[in-house]
Every structure is written in structure tokens, then in C-alpha cells.
């Protein structure tokens, strides 16, 4: 059942065994997985079924530190959450990416497989050889090479709100409340158990929810903001006994055109490292350093993909016109219009690239690189509460995103090593771009819209906000879902891992006494 | 992409993707007169596009002015290829190209590279390009 909270009776109380806050990839996956169980579930979504500027405004906040696009443009606040403008890139993390996690890849593997179906992906294989085709083959890195290939698969992309809405609407044990914004998590006097959630609609209506277990699935900034804002019993906020909530924020920095590659004309296989279809599945190969090279060179986990020559700007499209119109025309900031025009031009570029491939059936031979990395967790990179408040009276977030001081050095070193490897293999040559070559890639370091780390997972409450089951250490019945629990960030789009973790959390909740 | 950047790229692409293949007859270079030294001429023939090579070679020599003498450059190249002048003249171009390609790869494997206007190139190939200046 789906209910508009604005139509609820005054002082309404929703009661359930499990109350989930946030209907994005994590929240919808969790609710859907619990549908059909013997547990009553309520799913609270702050937005409506579709975009409204008033609701989106609740995401606004200040950005200090490294520049990032405005917070209210980063995430989407309506049913389906940020999957409503998700690119669809998916891959499981590598084994080595789990070094800082309380469990390894083997624990998440069965959930990744289930997540694959939910994200509407192709066959569950990330072995590059399984995706080779005549015009796009993974490089055959020789033994002892410093690099290896990986694969991203692309979801259609699954808009969770559209695709799974009917499943939730028809469920007998799940109720979705729209326009239901969490404004406070109330706890017992001890502060060790959540007792109710206070919710509000933008029209002023207030109501509450009571449940046995609560799950915050509101996004990397919002999860931290909600914990910090719930300070009636614990002045520093919930789960914040060790001043960890909001810290370790990280996004994936994207460096576009950090390198330009001229491929040997006899090596058309580099098309593998661009977005392309293999059968019905869109994939994109990438090149990464081996674990040993990352260790010896002190490099973060990174992926380098290739982009064909672009007409207008070293960026990529995929931002559909309708979504752009909805988002950009809803605000009046001049830079928003610029952003919209830019994204529109990128769509045109994507179409050009696609046509080029379809018409000529051959790769262009010239590429620019796209570098993505997962940086070291940094406690100074964080989300705090500002002094201004939103329309519901909640303090707005302040994001201080920090990149490591050696970010440029490691990015350039990764390109240098790749240049040597491409030369060694006779594949082509790489140019390291810089201010001296006319394009300084450091002027265009953007974020991947991946908010991570603010409620990091660790077995030790002194080092993490949630435990290995994603339960807030200091509260018996409050859980966190989403990439805010990531203790380290890999270099992959987090959505598939978010979905896998939500499925794992669902299993855990099911294992609790009813 | 600036016009300067694009022109460099085009020059490099015309150089055969820097593959230095021998598939094409070397055209008369507009950028350089024919060398009197037959060894230099033979080594220059490793490059399929003299215009691109000239561009790269000029940048290289701006960083390695001590190598500006063609005869000296040729001796450095032959040394890295482990050839004598007589060997280089006796070898067919295909065989010479094969040796050259192997040396370029070895340069990259060993980190014997130079950065020319951002391009990471093998020192040996940069020297061959410099013969076209």
C-alpha cells in the first residue's frame, strides 16, 4: 500500500516491526525483500512519487572544502531516490577492497548475485574474457604486468521507484508513506534504544512511527545529518559517542582527460575500455593496478577507462533530457542553467559517439582517460550541521569534502605507469595532460555523486558507528543501510554494494525474534 | 581540445600511431633535407611520417641539446640496438624495424622513457624522431 502522509489524520501513529527511512536503492530493496514475510514494514519516503522542487530543497546545504556539485543537485529526494538519475554502473568490489571491512568478499558474494537480478544486470561474471568480442577485447596483460582489466556492467539503469513500486503497493505487509520526512529519532532515557520517529510533511502535518527496529536508508549525508540532529538525549547526536558520525565522508573523485591515448591503428581492441554493448548488456572495461603495485607504489584503488574523442568537453552524457529538465528548470540559480546546458551537450556527444560506432564499426584510435579512485578514509573529511535551517526546521548539512594531499601525485603516477605498460605492450602512447599541455585535469576533478563513509562500519565502536550487521553500536534497534556504512570506498559505483548490503541486512532482521 | 593540442595529436597519428611500421614508403620530407649519412637515412626510414617525427624530434632536442648532432644520435641509437653501422646498412628494413620495435618495448619496460610535451615516449623512438629535425 502507498499512502500520502499529507492525508493522514492528525497525530497519526504508524506501527510496524520494521520502520525504514528512505525509499532509494537501499530502502526499497530492504522493504521489498521483507515483503511477504511475517513482519509488518513501513517505508517512509520524504519525497513524493515524482520530483518536486519543494522537497528537493530539503537536501540543500553548504559545501566547503573540495568543490562538489550542490547537495540538492547531488541526490534526488523522491520515491526511488537517487536511482532516478543513476548512471547504472555496477561491479562487485575486489577482494582487496574489503581489507578495512569486518568481512570479506566471500560474505557479500551471495548477496551480490541477488543484487545483480535486482539491478537488472547481465550474467554474473566480471571476468573480462567473458565479455570479449571481435572489436573490443580486453588487453592481454602478460604475466608480471603491473595492470589487469576489470569490467563494469550497466544497469538499464533500474529506476527503483518505477520498477519496484507495484511490488510494494501490492504487498500485504509493507506500507509506503510518501511526503514523510524524518525530523527526529526519539530514544529511551538511556539513549540506548530508539522508541519512535517523529515525521513531518511540508504542509506542516506531524505524525510518528513506532517499530521494533528502525533502519535509516536516507543517503550518505542525510544519514549522518539525521543522527546528529537527534540530540535530545545525547547532545552530540545518536551513535556519536566517539565523534565519528559524519566523519570519513568520501565521494569518488573523477578526473576526466588526465591522459590522452593514441592507439596503434592495429589495436582496435581498446574499444573494450569504453562503454559498449555485448549482446544486450552494456559494459565498460577498465584498467587497474594489481594489488601488489598499489601497495608498492602507494596508490589508491583506481580504475582508468577510456573515452572516445569528444566534440565539446571531456565528460560523458547519460543524463536524459527529461530528468535534466525536471531538475534544472526547478531552480533559478544561474549556474544550474549552465549545468543543464552542459549536460544537454553531453547527451549530444554521447549520441555522436554512438553513431560513430554504429556507422563506421571501428574504434576511433584516440581516447582520453577517465580516472576514478577510492581515497584513503580521512576523519577530517566530514559532514556537520550548519546554522541555517530548512523548511522543516532541521539544521542544514555542511559538507567538507577533502581529497588527500597526494591525490594529484598518485593520479599522475597511475597514468605514468599505464603509459609505460601501453608502450611495453605496443598498444599505443599516452600523454599526461597538465597545464603545460593546455588541459589541466586538476581543474576538472568532479565527484561521482557517491556519498560514503559517514556512519562507517567497524567492529570496534571507537572506530565505527555501526557494527558488522550495520547496527548503530550504541543503540539496540537502530540500523543504517546504504554507502554511509562503507569503511573504505573502492573505486566502483556503490549502488550494487548498497543493494547487496541491504539484502544482507534483511537477512539479519529476519533472524531477529519477531 | 585546443588547436595546438589537436595538431600534435594528428601529427602523432600520422606517425603511424607511433608504431613505426614500414608499411608505407617514406615520403620526401618537407621538413628536412635528405641526409648524406646512409646510416642516418636508414634509421630515419623507421618512421613512416616525417612531419610527426619532426615535431617530436624538435621537442626532444630542446631537452637533450647534447644529442643534436645526427651522427651522435645515430651512434646512440645503434648502441641501444646493439648494432654496428655496417649491421644497420646490411639489415633489411623489416628486420631493422623488428629490432627497433623490441628496443622501444624494452625501453618502456625498463622505464627508459622521456616526457615530451606530456607524451611518455621511449628514449630510442624519441631519438629516431630527432633524426628528422
Amino acid at each position: 500500500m502507498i499512502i500520502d502522509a499529507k492525508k493522514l489524520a492528525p497525530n497519526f501513529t504508524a506501527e510496524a516491526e520494521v520502520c525504514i527511512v528512505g525509499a532509494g536503492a537501499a530502502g526499497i530493496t530492504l522493504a521489498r525483500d521483507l515483503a511477504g514475510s511475517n513482519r509488518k514494514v513501513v517505508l517512509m519516503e520524504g519525497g513524493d512519487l515524482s520530483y518536486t522542487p519543494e522537497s528537493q530543497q530539503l537536501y540543500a546545504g553548504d559545501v566547503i572544502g573540495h568543490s562538489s556539485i550542490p547537495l540538492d543537485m547531488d541526490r534526488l529526494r523522491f520515491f526511488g531516490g537517487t536511482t532516478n538519475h543513476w548512471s547504472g554502473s555496477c561491479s562487485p568490489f575486489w577482494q582487496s577492497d574489503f581489507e578495512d571491512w569486518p568481512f570479506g568478499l566471500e560474505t557479500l558474494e551471495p548477496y551480490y548475485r541477488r543484487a545483480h537480478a535486482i539491478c537488472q544486470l547481465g550474467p554474473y561474471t566480471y571476468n573480462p574474457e567473458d565479455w570479449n568480442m571481435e572489436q573490443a577485447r580486453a588487453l592481454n596483460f602478460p604475466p608480471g604486468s603491473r595492470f589487469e582489466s576489470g569490467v563494469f556492467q550497466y544497469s538499464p539503469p533500474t529506476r527503483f521507484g518505477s520498477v519496484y513500486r507495484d511490488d510494494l503497493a501490492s504487498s500485504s505487509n509493507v506500507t509506503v508513506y510518501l511526503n514523510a520526512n524524518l525530523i527526529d529519532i526519539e530514544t529511551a532515557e538511556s539513549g540506548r534504544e530508539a522508541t519512535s520517529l517523529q515525521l513531518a510533511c511540508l504542509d506542516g502535518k506531524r505524525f510518528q512511527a513506532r517499530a521494533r527496529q528502525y533502519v535509516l536508508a536516507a543517503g550518505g549525508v542525510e544519514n549522518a545529518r539525521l543522527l546528529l540532529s537527534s540530540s535530545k538525549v545525547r547532545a552530540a547526536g545518536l551513535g556519536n559517542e566517539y565523534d565519528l558520525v559524519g566523519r570519513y565522508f568520501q565521494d569518488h573523485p573523477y578526473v576526466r582527460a588526465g591522459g590522452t591515448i593514441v592507439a596503434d591503428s592495429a589495436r582496435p581492441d581498446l574499444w573494450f575500455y569504453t562503454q559498449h554493448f555485448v549482446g544486450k548488456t552494456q559494459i565498460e572495461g577498465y584498467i587497474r593496478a594489481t594489488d601488489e603495485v598499489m601497495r608498492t607504489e602507494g596508490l589508491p584503488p583506481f580504475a582508468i577507462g577510456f573515452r572516445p574523442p569528444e566534440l565539446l568537453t571531456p565528460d560523458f552524457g547519460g543524463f536524459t533530457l527529461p530528468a535534466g529538465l525536471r531538475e534544472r528548470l526547478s531552480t533559478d540559480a544561474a549556474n544550474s542553467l549552465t549545468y543543464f546546458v552542459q549536460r544537454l551537450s553531453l547527451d549530444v556527444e554521447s549520441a555522436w559517439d554512438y553513431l560513430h560506432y554504429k556507422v563506421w564499426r571501428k574504434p576511433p584510435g584516440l581516447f582520453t582517460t577517465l580516472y576514478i579512485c577510492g581515497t584513503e578514509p580521512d576523519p577530517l573529511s566530514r559532514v556537520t550541521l550548519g546554522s541555517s535551517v530548512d523548511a522543516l526546521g532541521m539544521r542544514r548539512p555542511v559538507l567538507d569534502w577533502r581529497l588527500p594531499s597526494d591525490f594529484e601525485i598518485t593520479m599522475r603516477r597511475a597514468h605514468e605507469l599505464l603509459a609505460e605498460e601501453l608502450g611495453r605492450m605496443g598498444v599505443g602512447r599516452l600523454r599526461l595532460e597538465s597545464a603545460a599541455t593546455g588541459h589541466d585535469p586538476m581543474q576538472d576533478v568532479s565527484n561521482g555523486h557517491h556519498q560514503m563513509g559517514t556512519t562507517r562500519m567497524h567492529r570496534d565502536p571507537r572506530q565505527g558507528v555501526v557494527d558488522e550487521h550495520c547496527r548503530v553500536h550504541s543503540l539496540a534497534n537502530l540500523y543504517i543501510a546504504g554507502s554511509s556504512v562503507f569503511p573504505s570506498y573502492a573505486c566502483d559505483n556503490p549502488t550494487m554494494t548498497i543493494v547487496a548490503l541491504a539484502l544482507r541486512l534483511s537477512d539479519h532482521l529476519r533472524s531477529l525474534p519477531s | 581540445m585546443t588547436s595546438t593540442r589537436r595538431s600534435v595529436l594528428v601529427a602523432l597519428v600520422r606517425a603511424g600511431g607511433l608504431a613505426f611500421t614500414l608499411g608505407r614508403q617514406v615520403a620526401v620530407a618537407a621538413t628536412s633535407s635528405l641526409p648524406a649519412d646512409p646510416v642516418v637515412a636508414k634509421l630515419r626510414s623507421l618512421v613512416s611520417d616525417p612531419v610527426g617525427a619532426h615535431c617530436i624530434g624538435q621537442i626532444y632536442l630542446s631537452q637533450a641539446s647534447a644529442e643534436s648532432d645526427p651522427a651522435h644520435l645515430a651512434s646512440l641509437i645503434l648502441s641501444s640496438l646493439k648494432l654496428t653501422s655496417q649491421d644497420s646498412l646490411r639489415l633489411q628494413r623489416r628486420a631493422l624495424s623488428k629490432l627497433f620495435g623490441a628496443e622501444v618495448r624494452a625501453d618502456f619496460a625498463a622505464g627508459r622513457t622521456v616526457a615530451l610535451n606530456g607524451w611518455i615516449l621511449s628514449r630510442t623512438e624519441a631519438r629516431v624522431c630527432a633524426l628528422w629535425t
Side-chain angles (χ1 to χ4, degrees), chain A residues 146 257 260-265 310 312 366 368 416 419-421 423-426 428-433 436-439, chain B residues 1-2 4-6 8-9 12-13 16-21 104-106 108-109 111 113 116-122 125:
Chain A
R146 294 176 287 191
T260 301
I261 292 170
V262 175
D264 188 313
S265 55
E310 292 155 344
L312 301 174
L366 289 174
T368 56
E416 282 172 3
E420 290 179 1
E421 198 68 15
R424 181 164 84 113
M425 295 175 71
R429 301 290 181 271
L430 184 147
R431 181 194 213 187
L432 268 170
E433 300 296 352
T437 66
H439 170 72
Chain B
M1 182 181 293
T2 64
T4 304
R5 191 170 154 220
R6 181 177 290 281
V8 171
L9 278 177
L12 287 163
V13 174
L18 292 176
F20 297 91
T21 56
V104 168
R105 292 183 185 210
F108 279 110
T113 57
L116 305 181
N117 199 24
W119 291 102
I120 310 294
L121 303 178
S122 139
E125 68 186 354

Side-chain angles (χ1 to χ4, degrees), chain A residues 13-160:
Chain A
T13 298
E15 298 196 346
E17 288 215 36
V18 179
C19 177
I20 305 163
V21 176
I28 286 178
T29 297
L30 184 55
R32 189 167 165 268
D33 200 61
L34 291 170
S37 71
N38 59 353
R39 288 160 199 266
K40 188 176 177 187
V41 177
V42 292
L43 174 57
M44 301 295 178
E45 166 54 41
D48 212 320
L49 282 177
S50 59
Y51 179 94
T52 65
E54 298 78 16
S55 179
Q56 190 65 25
Q57 259 297 307
L58 296 175
Y59 272 163
D62 294 326
V63 176
I64 60 176
H66 186 79
S67 65
S68 165
I69 69 168
L71 290 175
D72 57 331
M73 293 167 67
D74 204 2
R75 320 298 294 172
L76 290 178
R77 194 180 180 98
F78 64 97
F79 192 64
T82 303
T83 67
N84 287 301
H85 69 183
W86 177 36
S87 73
S89 175
C90 287
S91 64
F93 287 3
W94 292 69
Q95 178 71 61
S96 56
D97 293 327
F98 287 93
E99 279 178 7
D100 295 332
W101 292 52
F103 48 79
L105 174 61
E106 64 284 353
T107 298
L108 219 49
E109 175 82 21
Y111 299 103
Y112 272 138
R113 289 180 180 276
R114 290 169 59 193
H116 227 248
I118 293 169
C119 294
Q120 301 175 297
L121 295 161
Y124 186 79
T125 171
Y126 288 84
N127 180 351
E129 290 180 6
D130 293 338
W131 296 100
N132 280 342
M133 51 194 278
E134 186 184 353
Q135 284 280 341
R137 305 180 68 81
L139 289 171
N140 188 20
F141 289 108
S145 172
R146 294 176 287 191
F147 287 90
E148 58 192 328
S149 295
V151 173
F152 296 129
Q153 282 193 47
Y154 278 81
S155 166
T158 307
R159 307 299 184 207
F160 279 57

